[in-house]
Amino acid sequence: MKMEFTAGKTDDGTFLYTEYKGLLLCWSQGEGETGKGGDDEAESGYPGADVVELVNLRGDTTTVYKLADGTYMDRIERRFIYNGTDTWTDEDGVEWKLLVLKM
């Protein structure tokens, strides 16, 4: 499945948005930001980066995307809630942590 995004620009920066199964998905990045957090997080009212790679205790990995309501969703439509510090919990109660790649 290919998702198509619409780009827009405001005084605060650039954003992309699309509608997927009735949900508005939106990614934003303020000018000068690295995409790793920062001012966009504080302005949105919801903590956490827009896109995050996660891993659970079994070693399963997934990429999640922040939705307009502050929750996250992966590509298989599993919903996640971020605790604001270091843990995401999926709809089945499984805890996920930030995936750290060793070089």
Side-chain angles (χ1 to χ4, degrees):
M1 179 182 126
K2 182 177 177 183
M3 295 176 88
E4 295 195 17
F5 294 89
T6 303
K9 186 161 180 66
T10 65
D11 293 338
D12 296 327
T14 305
F15 64 94
L16 297 173
Y17 65 92
T18 189
E19 188 172 334
Y20 177 71
K21 297 199 176 194
L23 297 171
L24 179 63
L25 306 179
C26 182
W27 289 266
S28 65
Q29 183 174 355
E31 290 186 20
E33 290 296 316
T34 63
K36 295 181 180 175
D39 293 338
D40 288 338
E41 291 178 20
E43 290 175 11
S44 73
Y46 299 109
D50 290 344
V51 180
V52 184
E53 300 265 342
L54 301 177
V55 62
N56 65 19
L57 291 176
R58 294 186 315 199
D60 302 327
T61 61
T62 191
T63 302
V64 295
Y65 305 88
K66 188 189 298 184
L67 304 176
D69 67 358
T71 63
Y72 287 79
M73 181 181 286
D74 66 6
R75 293 183 184 206
I76 60 172
E77 300 181 23
R78 205 171 14 190
R79 298 291 293 249
F80 294 77
I81 296 176
Y82 179 50
N83 75 352
T85 56
D86 66 353
T87 303
W88 287 256
T89 305
D90 69 20
E91 54 201 10
D92 294 328
V94 177
E95 287 190 359
W96 297 73
K97 300 284 185 178
L98 199 57
L99 178 63
V100 179
L101 300 176
K102 294 183 181 180
M103 299 276 197

